[in-house]
């Protein structure tokens, strides 16, 4: 298979080429057997319908198409992958977006190398608001690379599974009773290939507002974000925006699979719901971690907030992680061991006529 245009596709290319060289022949042999069985089922289905010639012709047509696709499965998958990448490359090159994940991570590394810990933390005014700045910087250098790697792993795992299981699912096409799996697989194959296009659109939009230039943001040139030039000043306030923008990028990157599925299914309202849910998880995780670490001091509060926000971004429920006491955040009543009040002594029994 031809290499992809983005860095997160390089791992997928290696995995697919490995499967293509060692396992594809065995997968195709089993798929041919399944396809023959489904052909027989399709013939019997046409017979049950009273000898429906149209249904029988459709069964043989689907059998021929499935046999062709399975026989040239490697070329078919590669051509489909390359076709979507060409669209993504056209969108990405229309505004010079390039590979946003790779570019932003490289710029963060260069910023850290040039300034190091001393300059970065020296530039922060040590006020109560500095805690928020520390959290944002930590997220920029910890959570963002983790989000990038998670997205690359999900993309590679999902793509390799689609390639390895494709012949088995396509072999079910001749039978009308079970070919719904083939239709669902084709939909998911299109959704997965659309990830690269949505990623290219995202990079193109960020480039259009000049949000992909770390040096410009650090220098305070935030005119593209509506703040005006030099609003934040040189490194005194721009570094805060680096952390905030990195958080937004991490959330958007992890939402690409959801956005692709919702767009192709026409569920546009679910995109906003997914974004709101991700932001809520980050906020709740950061607050829970800060509360748990506040008893040990400001440094522990900052560390707890960073850990909680990161866990929330990854979808981990932070309440049990930072629970304190026997009842946790939910109190005693939440665990089913709540207390019950009893009536005072000498209370007359209720007037119940059903009792003797």
């Amino acid at each position: 298979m031809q290499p992809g245009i983005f860095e997160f596709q390089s791992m997928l290319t290696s995995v697919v080429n490995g499967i293509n060289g060692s396992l594809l022949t065995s997968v195709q042999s089993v798929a041919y057997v399944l396809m023959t069985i489904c052909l027989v089922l399709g013939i019997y289905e046409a017979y049950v319908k009273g000898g429906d010639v149209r249904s029988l012709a459709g069964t043989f047509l689907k059998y021929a198409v499935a046999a062709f696709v399975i026989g040239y499965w490697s070329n078919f998958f590669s051509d489909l992958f390359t076709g979507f990448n060409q669209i993504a490359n056209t969108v990405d090159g229309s505004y010079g977006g390039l590979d946003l994940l790779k570019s932003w991570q490289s710029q963060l590394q260069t910023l850290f190398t040039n300034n190091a810990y001393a300059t970065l933390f020296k530039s922060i005014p040590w006020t109560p608001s500095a805690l928020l700045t520390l959290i944002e910087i930590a997220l920029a250098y910890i959570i963002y690379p983790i989000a990038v790697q998670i997205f690359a792993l999900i993309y590679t795992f999902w793509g390799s599974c689609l390639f390895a299981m494709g012949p088995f699912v396509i072999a079910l096409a001749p039978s009308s009773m079970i070919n719904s799996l083939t239709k669902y697989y084709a939909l998911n194959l299109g959704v997965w290939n659309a990830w690269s296009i949505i990623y290219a659109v995202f990079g193109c939009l960020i480039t259009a507002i000049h949000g992909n230039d770390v040096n410009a943001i650090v220098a305070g040139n935030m005119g593209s974000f509506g703040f005006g030039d030099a609003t934040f000043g040189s490194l005194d306030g721009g570094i805060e925006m680096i952390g905030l923008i990195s958080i937004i990028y991490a959330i958007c990157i992890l939402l690409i699979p959801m956005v692709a599925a919702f767009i192709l299914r026409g569920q546009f309202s679910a995109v906003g719901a997914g974004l709101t849910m991700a932001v809520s998880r980050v906020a709740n995780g950061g607050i829970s971690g800060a509360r748990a670490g506040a008893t040990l001091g400001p440094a522990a509060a900052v560390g707890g907030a960073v850990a909680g926000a990161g866990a929330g971004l990854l979808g981990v429920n932070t309440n049990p992680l930072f629970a304190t006491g026997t009842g946790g955040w939910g109190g005693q009543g939440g665990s089913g061991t709540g207390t019950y009040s009893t009536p005072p002594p000498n209370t007359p029994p209720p007037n119940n006529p059903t009792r003797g």
Side-chain angles (χ1 to χ4, degrees):
M1 188 173 70
Q2 297 294 328
I5 61 175
F6 302 122
E7 188 179 27
F8 61 83
Q9 295 177 327
S10 58
M11 188 186 304
L12 171 73
T13 304
S14 301
V15 174
V16 170
N17 289 335
I19 297 175
N20 188 23
S22 59
L23 300 176
L24 184 60
T25 303
S26 301
V27 170
Q28 288 175 325
S29 299
V30 177
Y32 286 138
V33 176
L34 290 176
M35 187 175 57
T36 303
I37 295 175
C38 291
L39 173 63
V40 176
L41 289 176
I43 294 174
Y44 277 109
E45 290 166 6
Y47 174 76
V48 171
K49 294 179 181 179
D52 189 352
V53 179
R54 184 175 181 179
S55 177
L56 184 63
T59 298
F60 280 105
L61 178 61
K62 289 184 285 187
Y63 175 82
V65 173
F68 177 81
V69 172
I70 294 174
Y72 294 93
W73 175 242
S74 179
N75 296 331
F76 176 81
F77 189 88
S78 178
D79 292 342
L80 189 64
F81 175 79
T82 304
F84 275 89
N85 274 343
Q86 288 178 352
I87 299 175
N89 191 21
T90 302
V91 174
D92 190 67
S94 62
Y95 214 95
L98 303 178
D99 194 344
L100 180 64
L101 295 183
K102 181 180 179 181
S103 175
W104 186 260
Q105 190 168 0
S106 176
Q107 292 183 72
L108 288 178
Q109 184 178 358
T110 303
L111 177 66
F112 183 80
T113 302
N114 294 338
N115 295 278
Y117 286 106
T119 305
L120 288 177
F121 287 104
K122 182 180 179 181
S123 65
I124 301 172
W126 290 101
T127 60
S129 63
L131 295 177
L132 179 60
T133 303
L134 287 176
I135 295 174
E136 292 176 354
I137 294 175
L139 289 172
Y141 285 98
I142 298 176
I143 302 303
Y144 176 78
I146 294 177
V148 171
Q149 295 302 320
I150 290 176
F151 175 74
L153 181 61
I154 293 175
Y155 180 87
T156 302
F157 176 76
W158 192 239
S160 58
C161 288
L162 288 173
F163 179 77
M165 299 299 296
F168 297 138
V169 183
I170 294 175
L172 306 178
S175 175
S176 59
M177 290 191 306
I178 55 179
N179 62 3
S180 58
L181 296 175
T182 305
K183 299 176 183 178
Y184 189 72
Y185 170 83
L187 175 62
N188 281 277
L189 185 61
V191 169
W192 173 77
N193 278 286
W195 291 10
S196 59
I197 299 179
I198 295 178
Y199 172 73
V201 172
F202 175 66
C204 189
L205 291 175
I206 296 301
T207 305
I209 62 174
H210 305 289
N212 63 331
D213 192 347
V214 170
N215 294 327
I217 296 173
V218 171
N221 299 327
M222 303 297 297
S224 58
F225 290 90
F227 295 112
D229 294 339
T231 300
F232 289 92
S234 177
L235 196 62
D236 289 334
I239 189 65
E240 299 178 6
M241 291 301 299
I242 293 296
L244 180 61
I245 293 173
S246 297
I247 297 172
I248 296 175
Y249 287 177
I251 295 174
C252 292
I253 290 167
L254 294 179
L255 284 178
I256 286 178
M258 299 173 58
V259 172
F262 292 147
I263 288 178
L264 291 185
R265 291 184 173 93
Q267 301 172 350
F268 300 105
S269 60
V271 177
L275 181 60
T276 303
M277 180 180 63
V279 174
S280 176
R281 286 179 177 178
V282 173
N284 292 335
I287 294 173
S288 300
R291 287 177 178 176
T295 57
L296 302 178
V302 173
V306 172
L313 180 60
L314 301 179
V316 179
N317 186 11
T318 56
N319 287 342
L321 298 177
F322 299 108
T324 57
T326 57
W329 295 109
Q332 291 182 351
S335 59
T337 59
T339 59
Y340 301 92
S341 60
T342 58
N346 301 323
T347 300
N351 186 12
N352 192 347
T354 60
R355 293 182 178 181

